Amino acid sequence: MAKEKVVLAYSGGLDTSVIVKWLQEKYDYEIVAVTADVGQGDTELEGLEEKAIRTGASQIFIEDIREELVTDYIFPMVRSGAVYEGKYLLGTAIARPVIGKRLVEIAEQVGAKAIAHGATGKGNDQVRFEFAIKALNPYLKIIAPWREWDLQSRSDCIEYARKNNIPIPVTAEKPYSIDRNLWHISFEGGILEDPAREPDRDMFRLTCDPLDAPDDPEEITISWEKGNPYALNDKKLTPLELVMELNRIAGKHGIGRIDLVENRLLGMKSRGVYETPGGTILAFAHRELEHYTLDRETYHYKEAIALKYAELIYYGLWFTPLREALDGFINATQETVSGRIKLKLYKGNIVVAGRESPHTLYHQGMATFEADELFDQKDAQGFINLYGLPLTIKGLMKQKNIADHQQEVAKS
Ligand code: ARG
């Protein structure tokens, strides 16, 4: 009888290599490896096929999901304005649902009964993968070896690999836990576990040190249509091309480094350092365009929605009715978020250098300090009287209390 199949989220690193062997031993599964190309770079993808087969997988799917990640996940996130805890641009979190979705699709395609992943039992990623799988196909069994086996650490993993003749990738001795895709790179663990320490200079990969960035600012213009960026310096680009090009430019100017102690979903705080070069520029420019085009109440309300949207992404709650409902709101707000934002990039900084939009609500005649016919300053008097009525009443009560008190003191 043919063996049951398991789909394994496979990166080719030490952990997932060990998992291949462990799954065979423990469950006697046939292993179908799946690697999602989310823009982690050629060095990570090189030789994967051979490695997977040599390690014991029966086949491997290498799936390029970059366009889907940018268009259907990252851009909606940009439109929402989501930033987790004021800093984190959610680079790892946003990629997990789409990877999970593809794992489910392949599991269904090859008739697998289970999906396995190499996320540890302490992190957010296990939750994100598994929420996606549960939402899309709850019949699939989920196997998370890190929560099951006796291996406790990387060194246990290396030992297991040696014992079982699993080729140990040269990157086994890595000083950080790294996750990279086309939007960002994250570093955790190692010396970063001490929040009092700044990261080593040579850790960074996508951005230069702002101290070493060019002495001349660079001017760029990003064009937007309904909250989606579509051109750089008036040249039309696909979403993927745009992000890649912005990564290059921002990286050159040392833009997009983030160092933060964040609250994980499982309750503990952890320290992470991120590089999100292009993303930092896009988030900045989008906000700038919204300042220019959205009415006050929508903008303020949307800020609250952005906080919730960031939580949903961070918590892995992408495939939920709430996220879809929020998208309805967000998309409605983006109808007029079109135009061009000009920026200057300089040594880690982004400075706005110009805005243009056919939909702006900015009215020079309204804001000007010069005399004008549209606005009668006398109207402001009534506005202040009525809008300030609660303050006036409260103030009167306070005064009355004081007067009463003084009367009492005088009497005694
Ligand atoms: N702390 C970030 C997050 O939860 C980054 C996680 C990085 N994951 C990893 N497997 N290295 O989104």
Side-chain angles (χ1 to χ4, degrees):
M1 217 181 79
K3 287 183 184 182
E4 280 194 350
K5 288 183 189 169
V6 60
V7 156
L8 168 65
Y10 177 80
S11 70
L14 173 67
D15 304 19
T16 49
S17 302
V18 165
I19 290 172
V20 173
K21 182 82 197 165
W22 182 85
L23 282 171
Q24 285 169 327
E25 272 185 359
K26 169 104 202 240
Y27 289 99
D28 196 27
Y29 275 130
E30 175 187 333
I31 289 139
V32 178
V34 175
T35 304
D37 177 0
V38 286
Q40 59 270 57
D42 295 342
T43 37
E44 276 192 45
L45 294 171
E46 239 165 58
L48 265 190
E49 172 142 22
E50 201 216 313
K51 205 191 289 181
I53 304 301
R54 193 155 30 101
T55 319
S58 67
Q59 66 181 131
I60 180 169
F61 289 80
I62 299 174
E63 299 289 297
D64 182 353
I65 57 172
R66 292 174 301 162
E67 284 286 355
E68 190 181 356
L69 170 61
V70 182
T71 309
D72 298 341
Y73 296 77
I74 289 176
F75 278 15
M77 174 172 78
V78 170
R79 293 200 294 272
S80 81
V83 180
Y84 186 67
E85 297 190 340
K87 290 175 105 177
Y88 176 38
L89 291 170
L90 293 159
T92 295
I94 193 64
R96 296 320 193 189
V98 59
I99 296 172
K101 176 165 166 270
R102 189 51 57 97
L103 293 172
V104 169
E105 285 162 1
I106 292 176
E108 288 169 350
Q109 187 187 322
V110 302
K113 290 277 177 291
I115 293 181
H117 66 75
T120 69
K122 273 190 163 181
N124 298 314
D125 292 322
Q126 54 177 342
V127 183
R128 297 166 180 155
F129 282 139
E130 294 181 32
F131 281 180
I133 296 164
K134 284 180 192 301
L136 300 173
N137 187 340
Y139 291 106
L140 287 164
K141 180 182 155 90
I142 296 168
I143 303 172
W146 276 105
R147 302 198 299 247
E148 271 189 52
W149 63 25
D150 311 318
L151 311 179
Q152 294 295 322
S153 62
R154 275 198 87 67
S155 28
D156 289 353
C157 254
I158 293 177
E159 186 160 326
Y160 184 98
R162 287 224 171 89
K163 272 199 201 133
N164 291 281
N165 285 322
I166 298 164
I168 298 171
V170 272
T171 49
E173 308 302 330
K174 59 179 187 180
Y176 310 101
S177 165
I178 290 175
D179 179 59
R180 179 172 174 176
N181 59 39
L182 59 93
W183 190 242
H184 97 333
I185 183 163
S186 76
F187 304 91
E188 291 173 335
I191 64 142
L192 297 176
E193 281 174 15
D194 179 1
R197 261 187 84 160
E198 70 175 330
D200 284 338
R201 268 180 69 90
D202 60 9
M203 177 187 80
F204 296 95
R205 304 197 182 169
L206 304 179
T207 58
C208 75
D209 189 323
L211 289 171
D212 303 328
D215 289 328
D216 293 316
E218 179 167 350
E219 205 172 84
I220 61 167
T221 302
I222 304 173
S223 308
W224 301 76
E225 176 70 27
K226 298 191 177 175
N228 292 311
Y230 68 89
L232 179 61
N233 300 328
D234 295 318
K235 193 176 157 217
K236 267 201 162 189
L237 296 173
T238 67
L240 180 58
E241 288 167 347
L242 186 80
V243 170
M244 302 300 272
E245 185 58 9
L246 282 175
N247 277 342
R248 194 187 60 74
I249 299 172
K252 187 172 77 181
H253 291 280
I255 288 163
R257 294 185 173 187
I258 298 144
D259 183 335
L260 130 100
V261 175
E262 73 199 43
N263 289 295
R264 281 195 192 159
L265 181 50
L266 274 80
M268 69 285 259
K269 287 192 188 291
S270 83
R271 195 273 189 98
V273 177
Y274 307 98
E275 294 175 90
T276 320
T280 300
I281 291 185
L282 284 175
F284 184 102
H286 181 259
R287 196 179 319 121
E288 206 55 55
L289 190 57
E290 285 194 332
H291 281 147
Y292 199 45
T293 54
L294 292 187
D295 66 284
R296 182 185 64 200
E297 294 309 313
T298 302
Y299 185 85
H300 290 180
Y301 202 81
K302 191 166 175 288
E303 285 189 293
I305 297 294
L307 291 175
K308 190 69 206 175
Y309 207 90
E311 264 182 13
L312 291 181
I313 295 174
Y314 193 88
Y315 296 173
L317 295 170
W318 183 265
F319 298 112
T320 57
L322 179 55
R323 196 221 90 232
E324 283 174 24
L326 294 184
D327 271 344
F329 167 80
I330 292 161
N331 290 340
T333 65
Q334 299 300 288
E335 279 300 313
T336 59
V337 183
S338 305
R340 295 163 86 244
I341 298 292
K342 198 200 289 175
L343 303 168
K344 275 190 179 142
L345 313 177
Y346 180 67
K347 292 195 188 287
N349 291 293
I350 311 171
V351 179
V352 62
R355 317 116 169 119
E356 285 166 44
S357 171
H359 303 294
T360 185
L361 300 175
Y362 175 81
H363 191 297
Q364 201 161 2
M366 280 289 175
T368 185
F369 287 95
E370 306 301 317
D372 69 274
E373 289 113 51
L374 280 164
F375 190 97
D376 186 347
Q377 298 206 16
K378 291 197 187 75
D379 292 345
Q381 172 103 47
F383 170 77
I384 293 166
N385 287 344
L386 291 185
Y387 200 68
L389 193 56
L391 286 87
T392 308
I393 292 169
K394 187 79 188 164
L396 285 170
M397 296 301 287
K398 240 196 237 161
Q399 296 245 335
K400 185 169 170 294
N401 286 345
I402 292 167
D404 289 353
H405 180 70
Q406 276 169 345
Q407 259 177 17
E408 261 164 51
V409 172
K411 263 193 245 158
S412 64

